[in-house]
Amino acid sequence: MNKLAEVIHSRSNPDLPGELLPPDAEIDRYLELFGAQLLGVVPFNQRYRLRNEAAFHLERLRDDLIAEGHDRREAVRRAIVAYGPAEQLAEQYIKSWFEKSAGGVLAKRLGKGNAIAFVAFALAELICVGLFYGRIFVPVESVFRYTVDPTVFPASTLNAVPIPDSSLFFAVLATVVLVAPILAGAWVGAKVPIHPMRAVYHGLLPCILYSFVSGVLVLPSRELLLFALVQLVYWLPVSLAVAHFARLHVRALRIGKELSA
Amino acid sequence: MSSSPLDPVLTANFLRGNTAIIVLAILRDGPAHGYAIGSEIARRSEHTLEFKQGTLYPILHELERDGSICSEWEIPNGDRPRRVYTITESGQRELERRMEAWQRFNAAMIRVTAVRLDEQTG
């Protein structure tokens, strides 16, 4: 049970012993828990509709179970079990609501969350790899052979470039490499309301693989191999953490905005 | 008469991707709210297809976004409002398309598994 669910759970269980609460209080608690999972993610009109549908469904189930001979408290308990766990259903709904709103071919093929993450990290990858290519190819005056296709690199003409060096170019490159996963992770966290960390993992992995293959092809220059290593040990954990916290932050902002409206 | 429910994991696997056909097939016979759809599935399957009833709503909302069904609030006197779903023409076509594919798949599965049974018993 997450933090929000715990708060709802504790607030909806006052000091009264459970058996003194009216039997239908369990339905209210369930609906609060269900609604809380959707708050700050799904728009109000959707939440209103889902909550009403769940309430109607649970009440009908309860009434049918009472008609079968169960006492009211037991009927409520069984109705909730038959309807399904609130957190799981809310997650399933958010997933379906988010993924099915995918527009482009890439989003439909990969899943909307994965597509967003892939675009974010592919953009970061392109910028970083472009800068690395500049650093590798400019000194040997073969910058005009610049290409994103790693199979056409003139690897034999390259020399190892000292790492680090004291140039402004290297400072810019290092800054971009350090900041890129934070920005990309934050973007994914803000845009993907469900499992953003999973999306980051799926979006970043092909980029790491591309850096590694490119790195092997431009040996003896070690730049891109080191970059692949940095992506694995720095980009991946940092962007996972940033995506997680960005999602929580964006959700809290939306809740605050909704409450103050 | 009621059959015993299938193993829940097996049921979930079999239903994945097919729940939309079941829902559309129920709605083909007339508009219904979520609870009535769930009850009708249980009745027609003789309680063989048991699943968490709340999982129906993401499917209903998805079908509505796709244009296969439409819905409206029904507010009975003094009772809680309920959302009633109706199949659209495009939903009818989608159901026919899926049913045809399902029947072919089902026939192929029966043929394939029957051969295996023959081999085992023969």
Side-chain angles (χ1 to χ4, degrees), chain B:
Chain B
M1 186 190 119
S2 74
S3 318
S4 60
L6 288 172
D7 174 86
V9 178
L10 277 180
T11 308
N13 284 339
F14 289 146
L15 279 176
R16 194 165 293 134
N18 292 315
T19 323
I21 303 184
I22 298 172
V23 169
L24 289 172
I26 303 280
L27 289 175
R28 182 179 50 189
D29 297 342
H33 49 69
Y35 181 74
I37 295 168
S39 306
E40 190 60 11
I41 292 171
R43 191 189 66 79
R44 288 193 196 180
S45 73
E46 294 172 348
H47 296 276
T48 306
L49 301 179
E50 292 280 352
F51 54 90
K52 297 295 179 196
Q53 297 189 17
T55 58
L56 271 177
Y57 293 97
I59 293 157
L60 285 166
H61 290 215
E62 258 181 62
L63 285 170
E64 190 170 5
R65 273 196 296 274
D66 294 344
S68 297
I69 60 175
C70 58
S71 69
E72 59 182 359
W73 288 111
E74 190 181 88
I75 307 172
N77 282 341
D79 204 354
R80 187 182 280 280
R82 78 248 347 230
R83 194 88 182 169
V84 176
Y85 295 89
T86 309
I87 193 165
T88 61
E89 274 184 32
S90 118
Q92 295 271 11
R93 285 195 299 274
E94 180 63 16
L95 176 63
E96 279 163 28
R97 191 182 70 79
R98 288 189 187 217
M99 284 299 292
E100 194 195 331
W102 170 253
Q103 276 162 6
R104 288 176 62 190
F105 175 80
N106 197 27
M109 280 294 287
I110 289 169
R111 283 198 301 274
V112 171
T113 50
V115 168
R116 285 197 177 164
L117 278 175
D118 290 347
E119 283 169 358
Q120 281 169 3
T121 52

Side-chain angles (χ1 to χ4, degrees), chain A residues 49 53 57 59 64 81 83, chain B residues 35 53-54 57 64 80 85:
Chain A
R49 177 175 162 181
E53 286 185 309
H57 200 120
E59 286 167 8
D64 283 359
V81 169
Y83 196 76
Chain B
Y35 181 74
Q53 297 189 17
Y57 293 97
E64 190 170 5
R80 187 182 280 280
Y85 295 89

Side-chain angles (χ1 to χ4, degrees), chain A residues 114-135:
Chain A
N114 292 343
I116 287 172
F118 181 71
V119 168
F121 286 102
L123 195 66
E125 172 86 3
L126 274 180
I127 294 168
C128 292
V129 169
L131 289 170
F132 276 115
Y133 284 177
R135 190 171 138 82

Side-chain angles (χ1 to χ4, degrees), chain A residues 43-62:
Chain A
F44 172 75
N45 56 350
Q46 290 290 320
R47 290 204 313 273
Y48 175 79
R49 177 175 162 181
L50 276 166
R51 193 187 158 96
N52 260 292
E53 286 185 309
F56 173 71
H57 200 120
L58 285 166
E59 286 167 8
R60 287 294 293 265
L61 267 173
R62 177 202 60 198

Side-chain angles (χ1 to χ4, degrees), chain A residues 57-170:
Chain A
H57 200 120
L58 285 166
E59 286 167 8
R60 287 294 293 265
L61 267 173
R62 177 202 60 198
D63 293 346
D64 283 359
L65 287 161
I66 290 170
E68 281 174 20
H70 296 283
D71 73 60
R72 198 173 184 91
R73 197 174 295 279
E74 179 61 12
V76 166
R77 195 191 65 76
R78 284 177 183 245
I80 288 171
V81 169
Y83 196 76
E87 285 177 291
Q88 204 177 311
L89 290 178
E91 185 180 309
Q92 193 179 340
Y93 183 79
I94 294 169
K95 194 173 177 187
S96 134
W97 169 77
F98 175 69
E99 291 292 348
K100 292 292 170 179
S101 62
V105 179
L106 189 69
K108 283 196 172 125
R109 204 165 273 265
L110 301 178
K112 194 176 174 185
N114 292 343
I116 287 172
F118 181 71
V119 168
F121 286 102
L123 195 66
E125 172 86 3
L126 274 180
I127 294 168
C128 292
V129 169
L131 289 170
F132 276 115
Y133 284 177
R135 190 171 138 82
I136 298 167
F137 287 96
V138 169
V140 293
E141 295 177 345
S142 54
V143 70
F144 297 112
R145 299 193 193 185
Y146 165 77
T147 170
V148 288
D149 182 356
T151 58
V152 296
F153 283 179
S156 58
T157 65
L158 298 174
N159 296 313
V161 188
I163 304 169
D165 66 37
S166 54
S167 67
L168 178 65
F169 188 83
F170 187 83

